[in-house]
Structures are given as C-alpha cells and as structure tokens.
Amino acid sequence: MMHLTFRWITGFILAGILLILVGGECLDMAPAEVWYEPLQQVIRPQGSRVIWRSEGWAESSYGRYGINAHEDVTRLKGQPILIWGDSQVEGYQVQDDQKMAQVLTELLESQGYQYYALGLGRSAHTIADHYYDLPRYEDLLGPISHHVMVVNNLDRYLPDTRQVRARFL
C-alpha cells in the first residue's frame, strides 16, 4: 500500500513539474488587458505581444489604444481608414506586416495615396459592437476617411436569414 501511495505522489509531483515547464510557454496565450476609459472597453496594453498558437505561430504586437501592429498610431501620416471586423481582421494567425490593414496601407502607398489603414478587429465582435465603438475611435483619432466593415457570416449580422427567400451575396 505504501509503495502505491509513493507512486501516486511521485507521479503527481512529476506531472506538476511538467505542467509548470510546459505551461510557461503558453502564458502569452492569455494576454493582459486593461480598462481604457475613453474607449469604454478593455484593450491590450501598449507594448504587449501575443503569440497565438491555435491558428499559427504568428506574433501580434499592440501599440497605443490597443491597436495591433502599430506602436503609436498618432505618429502615422495621412488619413486613416478603419477596418472593422472579427478575428479575421484581428489576424492572430499572421505576422503584423501581413495583417489586412498593413497590406492595404502598403498597396495604397505604392499607388501614391496618403492613407493608412488600422485593423480594429476583435474576436466575436459584430457590427453592433463596432457601431458603438465608431464615435469613440473618432474622438481619439480625429476625422476618419473611411470605415470598412469585414463581414464573413451574415447569420451573425442579419436577423432570421435562414427563414427568408432572399439570396444574400
């Protein structure tokens, strides 16, 4: 009986040590968030980084106002285009320079336009969430040139789409 108890205790201790060693590598999957009063929501703190392992091993960095891939959006030149959406805009699965907003900014700059894009995607957010965020970001960033809404599933945005005879493209 004592031998069996010793095995259980030893197994528990070894499993705990293994959990601590492996778990330390996963701490960045639970990033810190802080309440930011002007936006009336929690944001990632400036300077924080997230490595998301479930959809790839890309690293996302966060700057001023919790906007990813930009250290300080107040230093950007040109007129802002805000891209709203869910996790596809947030882009955890791709590196910062490959996110939707950065690619659009590069394309616009290559054509001589004075615009920059900011991706304001948040996982599981809908148009209703963004509707209330629009004036808050406009207060922080000043006049916005364009707002772009990225929609990937109309069932999340329109009521009763399964019961109508219309076709949504």
Side-chain angles (χ1 to χ4, degrees):
M1 183 71 170
M2 184 132 162
H3 183 65
L4 186 60
T5 304
F6 177 74
R7 290 173 108 182
W8 274 96
I9 292 172
T10 303
F12 182 75
I13 292 170
L14 290 175
I17 291 170
L18 181 64
L19 183 63
I20 290 169
L21 292 174
V22 173
E25 289 296 315
C26 298
L27 288 177
D28 54 4
M29 289 187 65
E33 291 186 330
V34 295
W35 179 258
Y36 190 63
E37 190 63 32
L39 291 176
Q40 294 291 300
Q41 62 181 285
V42 293
I43 63 169
R44 307 263 192 261
Q46 186 171 1
S48 63
R49 298 191 179 286
V50 177
I51 298 175
W52 202 256
R53 291 177 175 84
S54 66
E55 296 178 5
W57 287 79
E59 182 175 333
S60 295
S61 60
Y62 289 84
R64 194 170 198 166
Y65 310 134
I67 297 174
N68 69 0
H70 293 288
E71 185 175 325
D72 188 352
V73 296
T74 61
R75 295 183 181 180
L76 298 174
K77 303 291 185 220
Q79 297 178 347
I81 298 171
L82 301 186
I83 303 175
W84 302 89
D86 58 8
S87 60
Q88 291 182 337
V89 174
E90 195 169 26
Y92 276 142
Q93 65 276 20
V94 296
Q95 295 291 3
D96 282 349
D97 63 341
Q98 298 170 352
K99 293 184 189 314
M100 191 179 300
Q102 281 62 29
V103 171
L104 178 59
T105 299
E106 287 179 22
L107 288 171
L108 291 169
E109 286 176 351
S110 72
Q111 298 297 314
Y113 293 103
Q114 298 295 314
Y115 294 96
Y116 62 89
L118 300 174
L120 298 178
R122 293 286 298 246
S123 295
H125 275 208
T126 65
I127 288 179
D129 299 308
H130 303 315
Y131 173 80
Y132 291 104
D133 289 340
L134 284 169
R136 295 173 186 149
Y137 276 97
E138 287 174 341
D139 288 344
L140 286 176
L141 300 172
I144 306 299
S145 176
H146 296 82
H147 292 279
V148 178
M149 300 284 180
V150 177
V151 178
N152 67 348
N153 182 354
L154 289 178
D155 290 341
R156 293 180 55 198
Y157 300 98
L158 300 174
D160 302 324
T161 57
R162 292 176 301 271
Q163 299 173 4
V164 296
R165 294 179 185 228
R167 182 174 177 195
F168 295 97
L169 301 177

